[in-house]
Amino acid sequence: MSRAGPSVPETAVVFERALDHALNSQQVLDALVRAKGVADREQLRTRAVRARAAITAAAAVEYQEYLRARSAVEGANREPVARVVPGWSAARAALRWVAAKRDRAGAGDVPADDVPDVTRAREAWELALLERGVVPFLLGRLEELLMGQRGGRAAR
């Protein structure tokens, strides 16, 4: 089942990190100076948080690639258990074993985010979120506010 855009709780953490990075970027700081006080960083942050779903959708393709890469690793970690489980009672015991092993970060499992393909996919998602989502959103809001301010002056 595919989703329209990122909705996993980890996206909130990644979004906040991208938002902080964008708000501190020279590109956005310069735009804030050019906008001459029509908005400040906190106002931009508030607008971005409200529009998080739309902003994260800009990186939905990369997010889906990240999920596929992570699922492949997680599936590979579960595959040896599935081969060993011939019966129902054994399956229940194996499912408990897998859960306990996952909780302990046991020795044969590789955390998905430590696999190079997953790491690359995650980095591509985070970069796309920053470059195609957050930064354009912030710059667009500043431009809209600046245009509205100029329009207000022209009407006087």
Side-chain angles (χ1 to χ4, degrees), residues 5-148:
S7 62
V8 174
E10 75 182 307
T11 61
V13 173
V14 172
F15 178 81
E16 285 295 328
R17 189 171 39 238
L19 181 55
D20 286 340
H21 186 76
L23 286 168
N24 291 318
S25 72
Q26 196 60 52
Q27 190 177 11
V28 171
L29 292 173
D30 289 346
L32 278 165
V33 169
R34 283 191 307 274
K36 296 180 176 82
V38 297
D40 62 25
R41 293 176 79 243
E42 285 310 308
Q43 290 168 321
L44 286 178
R45 172 182 293 286
T46 299
R47 286 174 181 245
V49 168
R50 286 184 190 145
R52 187 174 96 191
I55 293 170
T56 56
V61 170
E62 289 80 4
Y63 182 72
Q64 292 301 321
E65 287 300 316
Y66 165 62
L67 289 181
R68 272 192 283 283
R70 192 174 69 187
S71 293
V73 170
E74 291 168 352
N77 283 339
R78 286 188 299 266
E79 185 176 320
V81 173
R83 290 182 183 171
V84 176
V85 180
W88 175 248
S89 61
R92 284 197 329 235
L95 291 168
R96 282 188 218 121
W97 176 78
V98 168
K101 189 173 181 188
R102 189 178 320 126
D103 290 343
R104 290 191 312 266
D109 285 345
V110 177
D113 285 344
D114 289 345
V115 175
D117 288 345
V118 177
T119 301
R120 277 191 291 275
R122 182 182 177 95
E123 288 170 352
W125 164 47
E126 291 180 9
L127 185 62
L129 178 61
L130 179 68
E131 291 182 349
R132 289 199 324 263
V134 180
V135 170
F137 176 85
L138 296 175
L139 295 176
R141 293 309 71 78
L142 281 172
E143 185 63 29
E144 285 174 4
L145 292 168
L146 193 54
M147 295 302 285

